[in-house]
Amino acid sequence: MIQQSMLSEVLATVRKRIQQIRDRKEVIGEENTKATLIDPVLNVLGWNLQEIDEVRREYKRKPQDNPVDYALFLNRTECLLVEAKSLEKDLGDRKWVLQNLAYAMAVGVCWCVLTNGDENRIYNSHAEVDADQKLFRTVRVSDSDPKLLTDTLLLLGRDMMRGSMLDELW
């Protein structure tokens, strides 16, 4: 079971990294964003990043599909997709929202996340509404209410994805 205190510690570390990068006005790119900001959070949420039956990177269900950065599996079935962008990217760009939703719909996964390591946007790809209304919640590591941030990210934890909490909250 994920401990809220462990998640809070990891988020504090990630928050410091984000601040350092922004203070230096650095562009770190997508791969470094994943390694230093996203992977630690997924790991503390209970996802074993080294287990191929649990996490697949650059995942394509079919060879002709575009890859999604992370496909998270429960019982060898996709349950959550995570599309990463580099820290400096604005996630408000509609093309990335549509890209993320298209990945999820192609794979048949209801829940997907668009993140730049700071901002995390959770979408319900199966909601029968316009793309803009599929957004469930947005939280930022750098400036969200700490309780809202941890409570929201805990919903994406491996144990929580076993249940239907996101569906119930939707």
Side-chain angles (χ1 to χ4, degrees):
M1 192 70 176
I2 303 162
Q3 292 184 354
Q4 200 159 352
S5 62
M6 288 172 52
L7 177 57
S8 294
E9 285 176 31
V10 167
L11 291 172
T13 300
V14 169
R15 190 175 298 112
K16 285 179 194 168
R17 288 178 184 156
I18 290 168
Q19 193 58 52
Q20 286 174 337
I21 293 162
R22 289 186 172 150
D23 286 349
R24 296 177 190 156
K25 297 180 176 20
E26 286 183 301
V27 175
I28 64 168
E30 188 176 308
E31 290 304 313
N32 287 316
T33 297
K34 289 189 280 192
T36 61
L37 306 179
I38 299 170
D39 287 2
V41 174
L42 290 175
N43 193 47
V44 79
L45 290 174
W47 298 103
N48 183 345
L49 300 175
Q50 283 74 45
E51 180 54 58
I52 196 78
D53 286 340
E54 203 169 300
V55 179
R56 295 198 191 163
R57 297 170 193 258
E58 297 299 316
Y59 178 71
K60 298 182 195 186
R61 178 177 260 185
K62 298 176 189 157
Q64 68 271 22
D65 291 345
N66 288 321
V68 66
D69 290 299
Y70 303 86
L72 308 179
F73 291 75
L74 288 173
N75 302 320
R76 300 181 69 188
T77 302
E78 307 95 332
C79 67
L80 179 66
L81 299 183
V82 179
E83 179 61 21
K85 299 297 175 196
S86 60
L87 177 62
E88 61 277 358
K89 297 291 185 192
D90 174 11
L91 300 185
D93 190 325
R94 189 168 168 85
K95 73 178 177 189
W96 287 320
V97 173
L98 295 175
Q99 175 190 43
N100 195 25
L101 292 170
Y103 291 156
M105 290 185 285
V107 173
V109 172
C110 182
W111 294 100
C112 56
V113 177
L114 178 61
T115 182
N116 62 8
D118 181 13
E119 184 176 354
N120 295 272
R121 294 178 173 215
I122 304 168
Y123 291 91
N124 180 341
S125 72
H126 286 75
E128 295 186 13
V129 294
D130 183 63
D132 296 330
Q133 296 173 315
K134 293 178 184 269
L135 180 64
F136 167 69
R137 190 174 294 164
T138 299
V139 290
R140 289 180 182 269
V141 174
S142 62
D143 64 5
S144 289
D145 169 82
K147 181 167 177 24
L148 176 65
L149 177 62
T150 55
D151 288 352
T152 298
L153 293 179
L154 284 170
L155 294 171
L156 306 175
R158 188 169 185 272
D159 293 336
M160 291 297 281
M161 290 303 294
R162 289 188 188 282
S164 58
M165 184 59 77
L166 278 171
D167 296 321
E168 291 172 25
L169 291 171
W170 176 258

mmCIF file of all heavy atoms in Angstrom, residues 101 104-105 109-112 122-136 167 170:
data_model
loop_
_atom_site.group_PDB
_atom_site.id
_atom_site.type_symbol
_atom_site.label_atom_id
_atom_site.label_comp_id
_atom_site.label_asym_id
_atom_site.label_seq_id
_atom_site.Cartn_x
_atom_site.Cartn_y
_atom_site.Cartn_z
ATOM 1 N N LEU A 101 -5.863 11.559 -25.821
ATOM 2 C CA LEU A 101 -7.176 10.918 -25.861
ATOM 3 C C LEU A 101 -7.251 9.892 -26.991
ATOM 4 O O LEU A 101 -7.842 8.819 -26.826
ATOM 5 C CB LEU A 101 -8.276 11.965 -26.003
ATOM 6 C CG LEU A 101 -8.472 12.870 -24.781
ATOM 7 C CD1 LEU A 101 -9.405 14.022 -25.116
ATOM 8 C CD2 LEU A 101 -8.986 12.082 -23.583
ATOM 9 N N ALA A 104 -5.556 6.673 -25.906
ATOM 10 C CA ALA A 104 -6.379 5.934 -24.951
ATOM 11 C C ALA A 104 -7.558 5.253 -25.648
ATOM 12 O O ALA A 104 -7.873 4.090 -25.365
ATOM 13 C CB ALA A 104 -6.865 6.868 -23.843
ATOM 14 N N MET A 105 -8.198 5.972 -26.554
ATOM 15 C CA MET A 105 -9.339 5.384 -27.253
ATOM 16 C C MET A 105 -8.902 4.238 -28.161
ATOM 17 O O MET A 105 -9.578 3.222 -28.249
ATOM 18 C CB MET A 105 -10.103 6.464 -28.011
ATOM 19 C CG MET A 105 -10.843 7.405 -27.044
ATOM 20 S SD MET A 105 -11.894 8.621 -27.840
ATOM 21 C CE MET A 105 -10.684 9.777 -28.453
ATOM 22 N N VAL A 109 -8.488 2.173 -23.307
ATOM 23 C CA VAL A 109 -8.272 2.514 -21.902
ATOM 24 C C VAL A 109 -9.084 3.762 -21.561
ATOM 25 O O VAL A 109 -9.052 4.744 -22.299
ATOM 26 C CB VAL A 109 -6.761 2.767 -21.635
ATOM 27 C CG1 VAL A 109 -6.526 3.312 -20.248
ATOM 28 C CG2 VAL A 109 -5.985 1.492 -21.841
ATOM 29 N N CYS A 110 -9.789 3.699 -20.462
ATOM 30 C CA CYS A 110 -10.638 4.815 -20.051
ATOM 31 C C CYS A 110 -9.821 6.005 -19.554
ATOM 32 O O CYS A 110 -10.068 7.138 -19.934
ATOM 33 C CB CYS A 110 -11.595 4.344 -18.959
ATOM 34 S SG CYS A 110 -12.755 5.597 -18.393
ATOM 35 N N TRP A 111 -8.827 5.762 -18.703
ATOM 36 C CA TRP A 111 -8.114 6.836 -18.020
ATOM 37 C C TRP A 111 -6.740 7.066 -18.613
ATOM 38 O O TRP A 111 -5.996 6.121 -18.886
ATOM 39 C CB TRP A 111 -8.004 6.535 -16.526
ATOM 40 C CG TRP A 111 -9.361 6.552 -15.910
ATOM 41 C CD1 TRP A 111 -10.140 5.469 -15.610
ATOM 42 C CD2 TRP A 111 -10.137 7.707 -15.590
ATOM 43 N NE1 TRP A 111 -11.345 5.898 -15.113
ATOM 44 C CE2 TRP A 111 -11.379 7.263 -15.089
ATOM 45 C CE3 TRP A 111 -9.900 9.075 -15.672
ATOM 46 C CZ2 TRP A 111 -12.367 8.126 -14.667
ATOM 47 C CZ3 TRP A 111 -10.892 9.947 -15.253
ATOM 48 C CH2 TRP A 111 -12.107 9.476 -14.758
ATOM 49 N N CYS A 112 -6.409 8.331 -18.796
ATOM 50 C CA CYS A 112 -5.101 8.697 -19.319
ATOM 51 C C CYS A 112 -4.631 9.993 -18.670
ATOM 52 O O CYS A 112 -5.447 10.787 -18.183
ATOM 53 C CB CYS A 112 -5.123 8.818 -20.838
ATOM 54 S SG CYS A 112 -6.324 9.965 -21.522
ATOM 55 N N ILE A 122 -5.558 14.658 -15.815
ATOM 56 C CA ILE A 122 -6.165 13.330 -15.870
ATOM 57 C C ILE A 122 -7.440 13.430 -16.700
ATOM 58 O O ILE A 122 -8.295 14.284 -16.430
ATOM 59 C CB ILE A 122 -6.485 12.804 -14.460
ATOM 60 C CG1 ILE A 122 -5.225 12.808 -13.596
ATOM 61 C CG2 ILE A 122 -7.118 11.416 -14.522
ATOM 62 C CD1 ILE A 122 -5.481 12.571 -12.119
ATOM 63 N N TYR A 123 -7.555 12.540 -17.687
ATOM 64 C CA TYR A 123 -8.693 12.556 -18.606
ATOM 65 C C TYR A 123 -9.442 11.231 -18.589
ATOM 66 O O TYR A 123 -8.842 10.165 -18.427
ATOM 67 C CB TYR A 123 -8.215 12.793 -20.050
ATOM 68 C CG TYR A 123 -7.686 14.170 -20.293
ATOM 69 C CD1 TYR A 123 -6.335 14.460 -20.123
ATOM 70 C CD2 TYR A 123 -8.532 15.196 -20.713
ATOM 71 C CE1 TYR A 123 -5.841 15.729 -20.350
ATOM 72 C CE2 TYR A 123 -8.036 16.472 -20.946
ATOM 73 C CZ TYR A 123 -6.697 16.733 -20.762
ATOM 74 O OH TYR A 123 -6.205 17.994 -20.993
ATOM 75 N N ASN A 124 -10.738 11.327 -18.815
ATOM 76 C CA ASN A 124 -11.598 10.169 -19.012
ATOM 77 C C ASN A 124 -11.873 10.083 -20.508
ATOM 78 O O ASN A 124 -12.714 10.809 -21.035
ATOM 79 C CB ASN A 124 -12.896 10.334 -18.225
ATOM 80 C CG ASN A 124 -13.831 9.155 -18.386
ATOM 81 O OD1 ASN A 124 -13.715 8.370 -19.325
ATOM 82 N ND2 ASN A 124 -14.773 9.033 -17.472
ATOM 83 N N SER A 125 -11.161 9.221 -21.196
ATOM 84 C CA SER A 125 -11.272 9.150 -22.657
ATOM 85 C C SER A 125 -12.623 8.604 -23.111
ATOM 86 O O SER A 125 -13.035 8.839 -24.236
ATOM 87 C CB SER A 125 -10.148 8.285 -23.236
ATOM 88 O OG SER A 125 -10.359 6.923 -22.956
ATOM 89 N N HIS A 126 -13.317 7.882 -22.237
ATOM 90 C CA HIS A 126 -14.598 7.281 -22.611
ATOM 91 C C HIS A 126 -15.803 8.186 -22.359
ATOM 92 O O HIS A 126 -16.910 7.848 -22.753
ATOM 93 C CB HIS A 126 -14.794 5.957 -21.869
ATOM 94 C CG HIS A 126 -13.947 4.842 -22.406
ATOM 95 N ND1 HIS A 126 -12.605 4.757 -22.160
ATOM 96 C CD2 HIS A 126 -14.252 3.778 -23.169
ATOM 97 C CE1 HIS A 126 -12.126 3.673 -22.742
ATOM 98 N NE2 HIS A 126 -13.092 3.074 -23.368
ATOM 99 N N ALA A 127 -15.586 9.306 -21.694
ATOM 100 C CA ALA A 127 -16.715 10.214 -21.424
ATOM 101 C C ALA A 127 -17.289 10.695 -22.757
ATOM 102 O O ALA A 127 -16.542 11.073 -23.657
ATOM 103 C CB ALA A 127 -16.253 11.399 -20.582
ATOM 104 N N GLU A 128 -18.584 10.676 -22.867
ATOM 105 C CA GLU A 128 -19.240 11.060 -24.120
ATOM 106 C C GLU A 128 -19.530 12.558 -24.138
ATOM 107 O O GLU A 128 -20.680 12.988 -24.173
ATOM 108 C CB GLU A 128 -20.494 10.218 -24.328
ATOM 109 C CG GLU A 128 -20.149 8.746 -24.518
ATOM 110 C CD GLU A 128 -21.333 7.881 -24.879
ATOM 111 O OE1 GLU A 128 -22.400 8.414 -25.233
ATOM 112 O OE2 GLU A 128 -21.177 6.653 -24.796
ATOM 113 N N VAL A 129 -18.439 13.308 -24.114
ATOM 114 C CA VAL A 129 -18.493 14.767 -24.145
ATOM 115 C C VAL A 129 -17.341 15.248 -25.013
ATOM 116 O O VAL A 129 -16.471 14.465 -25.403
ATOM 117 C CB VAL A 129 -18.387 15.382 -22.723
ATOM 118 C CG1 VAL A 129 -19.603 15.023 -21.867
ATOM 119 C CG2 VAL A 129 -17.101 14.931 -22.019
ATOM 120 N N ASP A 130 -17.301 16.545 -25.304
ATOM 121 C CA ASP A 130 -16.205 17.124 -26.075
ATOM 122 C C ASP A 130 -14.883 16.915 -25.336
ATOM 123 O O ASP A 130 -14.852 16.775 -24.108
ATOM 124 C CB ASP A 130 -16.463 18.628 -26.278
ATOM 125 C CG ASP A 130 -15.404 19.273 -27.144
ATOM 126 O OD1 ASP A 130 -15.302 18.888 -28.320
ATOM 127 O OD2 ASP A 130 -14.670 20.147 -26.625
ATOM 128 N N ALA A 131 -13.789 16.900 -26.079
ATOM 129 C CA ALA A 131 -12.455 16.646 -25.507
ATOM 130 C C ALA A 131 -12.155 17.532 -24.305
ATOM 131 O O ALA A 131 -11.598 17.065 -23.305
ATOM 132 C CB ALA A 131 -11.386 16.826 -26.577
ATOM 133 N N ASP A 132 -12.512 18.806 -24.379
ATOM 134 C CA ASP A 132 -12.225 19.720 -23.266
ATOM 135 C C ASP A 132 -12.958 19.324 -21.992
ATOM 136 O O ASP A 132 -12.513 19.636 -20.891
ATOM 137 C CB ASP A 132 -12.601 21.153 -23.638
ATOM 138 C CG ASP A 132 -11.761 21.679 -24.796
ATOM 139 O OD1 ASP A 132 -10.607 21.244 -24.936
ATOM 140 O OD2 ASP A 132 -12.275 22.518 -25.560
ATOM 141 N N GLN A 133 -14.083 18.650 -22.139
ATOM 142 C CA GLN A 133 -14.876 18.262 -20.969
ATOM 143 C C GLN A 133 -14.488 16.890 -20.426
ATOM 144 O O GLN A 133 -15.028 16.455 -19.418
ATOM 145 C CB GLN A 133 -16.359 18.304 -21.322
ATOM 146 C CG GLN A 133 -16.821 19.721 -21.650
ATOM 147 C CD GLN A 133 -18.245 19.728 -22.175
ATOM 148 O OE1 GLN A 133 -18.617 18.921 -23.017
ATOM 149 N NE2 GLN A 133 -19.041 20.644 -21.649
ATOM 150 N N LYS A 134 -13.552 16.233 -21.071
ATOM 151 C CA LYS A 134 -13.085 14.929 -20.604
ATOM 152 C C LYS A 134 -12.060 15.072 -19.477
ATOM 153 O O LYS A 134 -11.683 14.094 -18.852
ATOM 154 C CB LYS A 134 -12.471 14.131 -21.760
ATOM 155 C CG LYS A 134 -13.491 13.728 -22.817
ATOM 156 C CD LYS A 134 -12.817 12.994 -23.959
ATOM 157 C CE LYS A 134 -13.789 12.672 -25.069
ATOM 158 N NZ LYS A 134 -14.425 11.362 -24.898
ATOM 159 N N LEU A 135 -11.624 16.300 -19.229
ATOM 160 C CA LEU A 135 -10.647 16.554 -18.167
ATOM 161 C C LEU A 135 -11.289 16.310 -16.806
ATOM 162 O O LEU A 135 -12.293 16.921 -16.455
ATOM 163 C CB LEU A 135 -10.131 17.990 -18.258
ATOM 164 C CG LEU A 135 -9.105 18.405 -17.216
ATOM 165 C CD1 LEU A 135 -7.821 17.607 -17.340
ATOM 166 C CD2 LEU A 135 -8.813 19.901 -17.327
ATOM 167 N N PHE A 136 -10.691 15.397 -16.052
ATOM 168 C CA PHE A 136 -11.178 15.086 -14.709
ATOM 169 C C PHE A 136 -10.588 16.047 -13.685
ATOM 170 O O PHE A 136 -11.295 16.658 -12.905
ATOM 171 C CB PHE A 136 -10.812 13.638 -14.349
ATOM 172 C CG PHE A 136 -10.978 13.295 -12.895
ATOM 173 C CD1 PHE A 136 -12.232 13.209 -12.324
ATOM 174 C CD2 PHE A 136 -9.866 13.047 -12.101
ATOM 175 C CE1 PHE A 136 -12.377 12.887 -10.971
ATOM 176 C CE2 PHE A 136 -10.003 12.726 -10.762
ATOM 177 C CZ PHE A 136 -11.269 12.649 -10.200
ATOM 178 N N ASP A 167 -13.681 6.172 -11.561
ATOM 179 C CA ASP A 167 -15.007 6.107 -12.181
ATOM 180 C C ASP A 167 -16.073 6.674 -11.241
ATOM 181 O O ASP A 167 -16.961 7.399 -11.659
ATOM 182 C CB ASP A 167 -15.367 4.673 -12.566
ATOM 183 C CG ASP A 167 -14.450 4.111 -13.634
ATOM 184 O OD1 ASP A 167 -14.098 4.879 -14.561
ATOM 185 O OD2 ASP A 167 -14.103 2.923 -13.561
ATOM 186 N N TRP A 170 -15.748 10.440 -11.047
ATOM 187 C CA TRP A 170 -16.122 11.084 -12.303
ATOM 188 C C TRP A 170 -17.605 11.396 -12.260
ATOM 189 O O TRP A 170 -18.116 12.394 -12.580
ATOM 190 C CB TRP A 170 -15.795 10.190 -13.490
ATOM 191 C CG TRP A 170 -16.249 10.755 -14.788
ATOM 192 C CD1 TRP A 170 -17.345 10.398 -15.492
ATOM 193 C CD2 TRP A 170 -15.625 11.812 -15.543
ATOM 194 N NE1 TRP A 170 -17.442 11.140 -16.637
ATOM 195 C CE2 TRP A 170 -16.417 12.029 -16.705
ATOM 196 C CE3 TRP A 170 -14.508 12.597 -15.358
ATOM 197 C CZ2 TRP A 170 -16.109 12.976 -17.673
ATOM 198 C CZ3 TRP A 170 -14.200 13.544 -16.330
ATOM 199 C CH2 TRP A 170 -14.990 13.728 -17.464
#
